[in-house]
Amino acid sequence: MKKQYTMAGITVLLWSTLSAVSKLLLNNFQPMPVLFYTSGIAALTLLVINIVLHGPGFFRIYSFKDYKNILFLGTLGLFFYNALYYVGLSLLTSQIACIINYMWPMMIILFSCIILKEPLTIRKLLSMAISFLGMIVICAQGSTGSSSSGSLMGMAACFLAAICYGLYSVFNKKNNYDQFIMLFFAFMISTVLSGIYCGVTHTFFLPEISVLPGMLWIGIFVNAIAYVLWGIALNTGQTAKISILAYLCPFLSLIFGRILLKEQITFLSLVGLILIIGGVLIQTGESNNTASSVTKDYPI
């Protein structure tokens, strides 16, 4: 059991670096080229992982119809999610973008009621109300920046990213595909679509040596290896208990933002984050399976 907690802890640390490291890249480059390179690196890494886990013929496991669903999920849950999140990060501080993005667990709960016809209980309504209150606190803080129009656009992008990931997780739950195979194809479609966008808009760039470490870090460790460790930890340990560790991510993200970006951790950021996480934790108490269902496909 200690091994599973160690893997989950390493995963949480890796995911917690995403906002700060991505913000460093986005301070100098547009979102889509960054998405192209990080997705491509992740796809190549996951290709190797799938060959090791399933053999070189792993792509034969599913039918053509299944792969249509997988590509749809990848477009929604990785391309649109990451594209919108990167846009938000480029316009906001990493802490505000990260906290608003953390509305995705509430989106899973909401869409599970709408799409999967799960019961909408008083506890769920209370948890969503508290989390939305937290988002209002964060938005009120973000809209007072020097560029209010840019801030509003960034906050809208982060919230739309959370909606995309909520929909992705609910549809993914209905299909129950092998996550490593699905992630490989999801990152592949994200690479292709972001590459097409960059080609049409002429925004491609050759990464300088100075930015390669950041792109490799996100592509290999945050996007690929972290998911592998998380999947192993959940499959071999006590899922509900291990899943709770994921809620440390946004708090640790604030710390990495402070260390790498010198961002001040504001009082309102902490209040908003506590409200959002508090709403999620209220919901996890409703059943033993809620934590695992909310965090099994944890977004990057």
Side-chain angles (χ1 to χ4, degrees), residues 53-130:
L53 291 176
H54 304 293
F58 70 88
F59 54 88
R60 298 193 188 100
I61 293 176
Y62 294 116
S63 66
F64 178 73
K65 181 180 178 181
D66 288 323
Y67 281 116
K68 286 198 299 183
N69 290 333
I70 288 172
L71 292 178
F72 164 73
L73 289 171
T75 302
L76 178 64
L78 284 183
F79 174 68
F80 281 119
Y81 166 75
N82 280 316
L84 287 165
Y85 187 40
Y86 280 6
V87 168
L89 273 170
S90 69
L91 297 171
L92 302 168
T93 64
S94 70
Q95 65 178 279
I96 291 178
C98 173
I99 295 171
I100 294 176
N101 178 65
Y102 216 78
M103 287 297 296
W104 64 265
M106 286 298 104
M107 296 299 102
I108 294 177
I109 294 169
L110 177 62
F111 292 129
S112 292
C113 294
I114 296 173
I115 298 171
L116 302 181
K117 307 302 181 183
E118 293 182 1
L120 182 60
T121 64
I122 296 297
R123 185 189 289 269
K124 289 179 181 178
L125 287 171
L126 178 62
S127 67
M128 285 189 283
I130 292 173

Side-chain angles (χ1 to χ4, degrees), residues 46-68 70-71 177-178 180-186 188:
L46 285 161
L47 174 62
V48 174
I49 290 171
N50 275 296
I51 290 174
V52 172
L53 291 176
H54 304 293
F58 70 88
F59 54 88
R60 298 193 188 100
I61 293 176
Y62 294 116
S63 66
F64 178 73
K65 181 180 178 181
D66 288 323
Y67 281 116
K68 286 198 299 183
I70 288 172
L71 292 178
Y177 293 121
D178 179 285
F180 300 146
I181 294 176
M182 204 213 67
L183 281 169
F184 164 69
F185 284 101
M188 277 296 298

Side-chain angles (χ1 to χ4, degrees), residues 270-284:
L270 288 175
V271 171
L273 179 55
I274 289 170
L275 286 170
I276 291 173
I277 299 299
V280 175
L281 291 177
I282 286 174
Q283 167 58 19
T284 60

Side-chain angles (χ1 to χ4, degrees), residues 10-290:
I10 292 172
T11 302
V12 168
L13 284 173
L14 292 174
W15 279 332
S16 299
T17 65
L18 174 66
S19 294
V21 176
S22 297
K23 180 68 175 177
L24 285 172
L25 294 173
L26 293 166
N27 283 337
N28 299 301
F29 304 105
Q30 295 184 39
M32 280 299 186
V34 173
L35 178 59
F36 170 76
Y37 285 113
T38 54
S39 295
I41 293 167
L44 288 174
T45 306
L46 285 161
L47 174 62
V48 174
I49 290 171
N50 275 296
I51 290 174
V52 172
L53 291 176
H54 304 293
F58 70 88
F59 54 88
R60 298 193 188 100
I61 293 176
Y62 294 116
S63 66
F64 178 73
K65 181 180 178 181
D66 288 323
Y67 281 116
K68 286 198 299 183
N69 290 333
I70 288 172
L71 292 178
F72 164 73
L73 289 171
T75 302
L76 178 64
L78 284 183
F79 174 68
F80 281 119
Y81 166 75
N82 280 316
L84 287 165
Y85 187 40
Y86 280 6
V87 168
L89 273 170
S90 69
L91 297 171
L92 302 168
T93 64
S94 70
Q95 65 178 279
I96 291 178
C98 173
I99 295 171
I100 294 176
N101 178 65
Y102 216 78
M103 287 297 296
W104 64 265
M106 286 298 104
M107 296 299 102
I108 294 177
I109 294 169
L110 177 62
F111 292 129
S112 292
C113 294
I114 296 173
I115 298 171
L116 302 181
K117 307 302 181 183
E118 293 182 1
L120 182 60
T121 64
I122 296 297
R123 185 189 289 269
K124 289 179 181 178
L125 287 171
L126 178 62
S127 67
M128 285 189 283
I130 292 173
S131 289
F132 274 105
L133 177 60
M135 191 182 74
I136 290 171
V137 170
I138 296 299
C139 290
Q141 175 186 218
S143 62
T144 60
S146 57
S147 177
S148 58
S149 60
S151 296
L152 290 172
M153 186 180 298
M155 290 184 287
C158 288
F159 185 57
L160 286 173
I163 290 174
C164 286
Y165 202 83
L167 284 168
Y168 158 78
S169 295
V170 170
F171 288 130
N172 193 22
K173 184 178 178 181
K174 286 182 66 175
N175 291 287
N176 197 30
Y177 293 121
D178 179 285
Q179 292 304 294
F180 300 146
I181 294 176
M182 204 213 67
L183 281 169
F184 164 69
F185 284 101
F187 276 113
M188 277 296 298
I189 192 64
S190 181
T191 305
V192 171
L193 292 176
S194 57
I196 292 172
Y197 178 92
C198 291
V200 171
T201 58
H202 305 289
T203 52
F204 266 122
F205 68 90
L206 289 176
E208 300 173 0
I209 294 177
S210 60
V211 302
L212 278 177
M215 290 186 175
L216 290 171
W217 176 263
I218 293 174
I220 296 174
F221 294 99
V222 179
N223 287 355
I225 290 178
Y227 271 105
V228 174
L229 293 175
W230 187 250
I232 294 172
L234 288 182
N235 290 334
T236 59
Q238 297 182 23
T239 302
K241 290 182 178 180
I242 290 173
S243 296
I244 295 296
L245 292 175
Y247 300 122
L248 294 174
C249 277
F251 293 99
L252 293 174
S253 293
L254 298 187
I255 296 174
F256 281 112
R258 175 61 179 158
I259 294 171
L260 297 178
L261 302 169
K262 310 302 180 185
E263 291 181 355
Q264 294 291 333
I265 302 175
T266 67
F267 174 73
L268 285 179
S269 290
L270 288 175
V271 171
L273 179 55
I274 289 170
L275 286 170
I276 291 173
I277 299 299
V280 175
L281 291 177
I282 286 174
Q283 167 58 19
T284 60
E286 186 161 276
S287 72
N288 292 331
N289 295 323
T290 304

